Amino acid sequence: MGANKRLFLALLPPEAARLALVRYLKAWHWPEHAQRYAPSDWHLTLHFLGSVSAAQTGKLQGAFKELRRPFVLHFGYPQLWPGGLSVLLPRQVPAELLQLHDDLGQTVHALGHALDERSYKPHVTLARKAVGATAPAQPPEFEWPVSNYVLMQSTGDPMARYQVLQRYGLGD
């Protein structure tokens, strides 16, 4: 019997979007104490499922459906949130992202997991403890094509924070 896993559903950036983010983040001014996320850790969370047993994890992996149709995210708004969280927001939230979030939320709820009651704010976390960080004057402008989403687990390992357990793409 395995230990519980901290699971969530997310979007992962394709390689071109990841490279655009790498270039953009080089232009930031980061304080020494900032804990920047590695490119392999960047994701946009759809739903956090919390602590899940090994038996429940297997059931979850088969419960989610393929992505209905692709869409594109356009990023361009850096923000520093309370507590020193540095994030990047899409310029607009596509209806397809909201529909995917709602559809997955219904499945998560039907499986007996609580949904976050806060309003959904899609973002990519860039760094923690980033009080004093300064974004470049020119905001990023890059596309993030979405053709799949993933079920991931938090590993607790700072060198590899997350592991993909299942990918759900178009027609998967």
Side-chain angles (χ1 to χ4, degrees):
M1 196 146 182
N4 284 2
K5 299 175 182 179
R6 291 174 47 86
L7 303 182
F8 60 98
L9 295 162
L11 302 177
L12 297 178
E15 189 62 22
R18 190 177 313 208
L19 291 172
L21 258 173
V22 166
R23 286 189 301 273
Y24 172 66
L25 290 180
K26 286 181 180 178
W28 277 66
H29 167 73
W30 296 103
E32 283 186 38
H33 57 272
Q35 295 176 348
R36 292 185 280 172
Y37 278 37
S40 60
D41 294 335
W42 293 331
H43 65 275
L44 188 147
T45 300
L46 295 163
H47 285 283
F48 180 71
L49 303 171
S51 183
V52 177
S53 71
Q56 288 176 313
T57 298
K59 183 177 177 183
L60 278 171
Q61 285 181 280
F64 297 105
K65 306 294 183 220
E66 75 234 16
L67 187 67
R68 288 188 184 157
R69 65 180 202 206
F71 58 94
V72 177
L73 295 169
H74 300 272
F75 280 86
Y77 294 121
Q79 289 187 349
L80 287 174
W81 285 359
L85 199 64
S86 169
V87 300
L88 188 60
L89 307 172
R91 284 187 267 151
Q92 64 182 19
V93 179
E96 295 91 347
L97 175 58
L98 294 177
Q99 186 64 57
L100 176 62
H101 180 261
D102 289 347
D103 291 348
L104 294 176
Q106 290 176 20
T107 302
V108 167
H109 182 69
L111 291 167
H113 294 271
L115 296 175
D116 191 338
E117 293 186 16
R118 297 173 293 181
S119 64
Y120 183 53
K121 295 181 182 172
H123 65 278
V124 176
T125 300
L126 306 174
R128 296 191 178 281
K129 298 183 180 179
V131 173
T134 306
Q138 182 66 33
E141 293 190 20
F142 67 91
E143 292 184 349
W144 174 332
V146 176
S147 60
N148 61 62
Y149 66 96
V150 295
L151 176 64
M152 297 185 81
Q153 86 172 56
S154 297
T155 65
D157 178 356
M159 298 307 290
R161 290 180 195 265
Y162 309 113
Q163 177 184 10
V164 173
L165 299 178
Q166 183 79 36
R167 189 173 299 272
Y168 305 90
L170 295 168
D172 284 356

